[in-house]
Amino acid sequence: PAALAAIDTTLHERIAAAGPLGLDVASLDERERAVLATFTDVRIAGGHALPADATDELADHPVLAAIRAGGTAPEEPTGVDRATLRELIRRGLLVERDGIVFHPDAIDTAARTAAVLLADHPDGITMSQLRDALGISRKYALPLANELDARGITRRRGDLRIGGPLLPG
């Protein structure tokens, strides 16, 4: 009983100190995970233990608004640690492609733009056409095009991008 109480206390302290991301359950040993499973005041989300009443501070993280404001040419995220940024990406609140972090709205904008361009050029579009239509540099256009390819929105054929099975109507 004393060992169980010690693990209980230690886990609650570690969860409280873990911050908004919570305590990584993978960092716990077998006994700690067994004790954690008995807690009714803790929830597991994305492999992290959080207090059951904890609010999701990441859903309204300021970096989301900053990246969204950048549109298809966002600035590099500042004021956010790498662990938080990785968690935002893991949750799908941000998208990272080729070292550039985009808001999902930017991917939607690029997809709609590609669809309009492909309606006018059914044989395919070039990177320069996509870049010019979005009003961005190649630095951002190439990762966006690669993300569209990865999602099946477009497909690369040589120097052209053609419509993929998930191209918006």
Side-chain angles (χ1 to χ4, degrees):
L4 184 59
I7 291 174
D8 183 292
T9 301
T10 302
L11 281 176
H12 276 98
E13 289 171 355
R14 289 174 65 189
I15 291 167
L21 295 181
L23 177 65
D24 186 359
V25 175
S27 69
L28 304 176
D29 66 28
E30 195 173 318
R31 282 180 279 173
E32 291 170 324
R33 283 194 293 272
V35 172
L36 180 64
T38 67
F39 290 177
T40 58
D41 60 338
V42 172
R43 66 181 165 88
I44 308 297
H48 292 84
L50 299 153
D53 60 352
T55 58
D56 187 1
E57 295 178 21
L58 296 181
D60 294 323
H61 198 284
V63 76
L64 295 175
I67 300 270
R68 175 185 275 151
T72 54
E75 292 185 18
E76 188 170 329
T78 58
V80 61
D81 61 274
R82 190 69 191 152
T84 301
L85 189 60
R86 279 193 310 269
E87 183 64 14
L88 290 167
I89 292 166
R90 188 194 67 76
R91 291 184 185 190
L93 299 171
L94 294 175
V95 177
E96 188 273 331
R97 177 60 64 174
D98 302 336
I100 306 290
V101 178
F102 296 98
H103 192 276
D105 291 353
I107 308 301
D108 293 342
T109 298
R112 286 190 306 275
T113 301
V116 168
L117 289 171
L118 285 165
D120 293 338
H121 304 90
D123 291 339
I125 57 172
T126 64
M127 281 302 304
S128 64
Q129 288 172 309
L130 181 62
R131 182 193 70 218
D132 292 345
L134 290 170
I136 57 176
S137 69
R138 185 172 177 84
K139 171 184 175 180
Y140 300 104
L142 192 55
L144 282 169
N146 289 339
E147 183 65 21
L148 296 180
D149 293 345
R151 292 180 180 215
I153 296 168
T154 59
R155 291 196 175 157
R156 185 175 178 183
R157 294 290 183 257
D159 290 338
L160 298 176
R161 293 297 198 295
I162 61 171
L166 300 177
L167 184 72

